[in-house]
Amino acid sequence: MTEPVITLKDATVTVGNQTEILKQLNLEIYPGDFITVLGTNGAGKSTLFNAISGDLALSSGSVYHQGKDITNLPAVKRTAFLARVFQDPKMGTAPRMTVAENLLLAEKRGSRRTLRNRHLTSQKLDFYHEITEKMGNNLENRLQTAAGSLSGGQRQALSFLMAIQVKPELLLLDEHTAALDPKTSAQLMDATNHQVVDNHLTALMITHNLADALTYGNRLIVLNAGKIVLDVKDQEKKDLSEEDLLEYFVH
Ligand SMILES: Nc1ncnc2c1ncn2[C@@H]1O[C@H](COP(=O)(O)OP(=O)(O)OP(=O)(O)O)[C@@H](O)[C@H]1O
């Protein structure tokens, strides 16, 4: 049987005076899963991502990577196999470096980020042109522009490309289109979907957009009060409507 990329077993995160913000959560993420993650504000979606990335320690329970216990593995070591894109376009890119330099920097995910001994050859620039063009928002014509001068949509597209430059075993998309205007958001969502499908990526995507959660991915989970209250895939997911989903949004 295929081994899950990541397994959470009875994962519990407790903060402050014993408030459980993730409650004995069980989740198996299989290779090729594209899981959309829904839930009300405060349901625990970002906490779930932080538990997977190692940014928040579990109070009890375990995290496994390819069957190996990584519960105590620090976040920095987990970047060897996972990448994350955040909501804020300012995160994930170096603002004073050009788009091409940022892409060059991303070529060695998991190791020290430095440009020493790495050079922008014409082959690399051609390759960057090719990959940025696929994002469909003119990023390919801004390779020599400082990342800080890009539009929000272009900067998120760059963050996304940097996250997948070295194919991660798991990609965490943390509302990565939420800070963009509706048209730009839809455009980036479409490009994201193509990239995930074409590159056979395994991904989790937090969204508050019910239509996106239903349209994209093969699997959908809903979190409520630190627990998964719905986990559906394939045909069962396709059969869901927005009205069905709203029933799981209980405060
Ligand atoms: N480090 C922390 N310390 C204390 N409380 C926290 C911490 N991280 C999260 N929380 C609380 O845990 C709950 C879950 O937060 P989380 O950010 O995971 O929710 P979310 O589903 O991502 O919400 P949103 O949709 O608003 O981003 C919230 O009540 C939040 O205030």
Side-chain angles (χ1 to χ4, degrees), residues 154-184:
Q154 287 174 329
R155 202 156 169 186
Q156 282 301 76
L158 174 59
S159 295
F160 182 90
L161 286 174
M162 289 174 73
I164 65 163
Q165 178 85 318
V166 177
K167 186 178 172 178
E169 287 177 53
L170 180 66
L171 176 65
L172 299 173
L173 301 170
D174 198 342
E175 287 191 67
H176 72 305
T177 66
L180 308 173
D181 68 71
K183 192 164 168 241
T184 308

Side-chain angles (χ1 to χ4, degrees), residues 15-16 21 39-48 50 56 87 174-175 206 208 223:
V15 291
I21 54 175
T40 50
N41 293 122
K45 303 178 297 296
S46 297
T47 304
L48 169 67
N50 288 333
L56 254 182
Q87 179 176 341
D174 198 342
E175 287 191 67
I206 297 176
H208 282 292
L223 259 86

Side-chain angles (χ1 to χ4, degrees), residues 37-247:
V37 183
L38 286 168
T40 50
N41 293 122
K45 303 178 297 296
S46 297
T47 304
L48 169 67
F49 274 23
N50 288 333
I52 295 172
S53 68
D55 289 296
L56 254 182
L58 297 188
S59 332
S60 62
S62 312
V63 190
Y64 300 89
H65 167 234
Q66 306 285 13
K68 190 172 157 248
D69 193 334
I70 56 155
T71 312
N72 297 316
L73 192 71
V76 65
K77 294 234 166 107
R78 299 192 199 186
T79 60
F81 54 82
L82 64 85
R84 187 166 176 175
V85 184
F86 293 89
Q87 179 176 341
D88 185 351
K90 292 192 190 69
M91 287 177 84
T93 53
R96 294 207 192 133
M97 286 186 181
T98 65
V99 170
E101 285 168 344
N102 270 282
L103 288 167
L104 188 65
L105 203 59
E107 276 179 13
K108 275 191 126 184
R109 185 169 40 76
S111 63
R112 221 172 130 242
R113 284 192 160 192
T114 161
L115 285 181
R116 199 181 309 155
N117 297 330
R118 274 181 251 165
H119 305 284
L120 281 169
T121 58
S122 59
Q123 286 103 312
K124 276 199 195 297
L125 286 171
D126 287 349
F127 174 62
Y128 295 162
H129 191 277
E130 201 181 303
I131 59 171
T132 48
E133 199 173 23
K134 287 194 184 135
M135 297 309 286
N137 62 1
N138 204 31
L139 191 57
E140 71 277 13
N141 295 318
R142 309 213 61 190
L143 289 181
Q144 303 299 353
T145 301
S149 311
L150 298 173
S151 69
Q154 287 174 329
R155 202 156 169 186
Q156 282 301 76
L158 174 59
S159 295
F160 182 90
L161 286 174
M162 289 174 73
I164 65 163
Q165 178 85 318
V166 177
K167 186 178 172 178
E169 287 177 53
L170 180 66
L171 176 65
L172 299 173
L173 301 170
D174 198 342
E175 287 191 67
H176 72 305
T177 66
L180 308 173
D181 68 71
K183 192 164 168 241
T184 308
S185 168
Q187 195 279 329
L188 182 62
M189 193 51 247
D190 185 54
T192 297
N193 186 50
H194 276 112
Q195 293 281 0
V196 171
V197 173
D198 295 351
N199 294 303
H200 309 288
L201 299 173
T202 305
L204 254 75
M205 181 180 78
I206 297 176
T207 178
H208 282 292
N209 186 316
L210 298 185
D212 281 354
L214 290 172
T215 305
Y216 301 106
N218 66 314
R219 187 172 162 194
L220 178 153
I221 62 176
V222 180
L223 259 86
N224 188 40
K227 283 178 175 248
I228 293 176
V229 291
L230 181 72
D231 184 350
V232 287
K233 63 180 187 179
D234 304 330
Q235 195 55 47
E236 213 185 332
K237 174 175 183 292
K238 286 187 190 143
D239 290 342
L240 275 180
S241 66
E242 290 191 25
E243 291 73 39
D244 295 332
L245 281 177
L246 285 174
E247 285 182 28

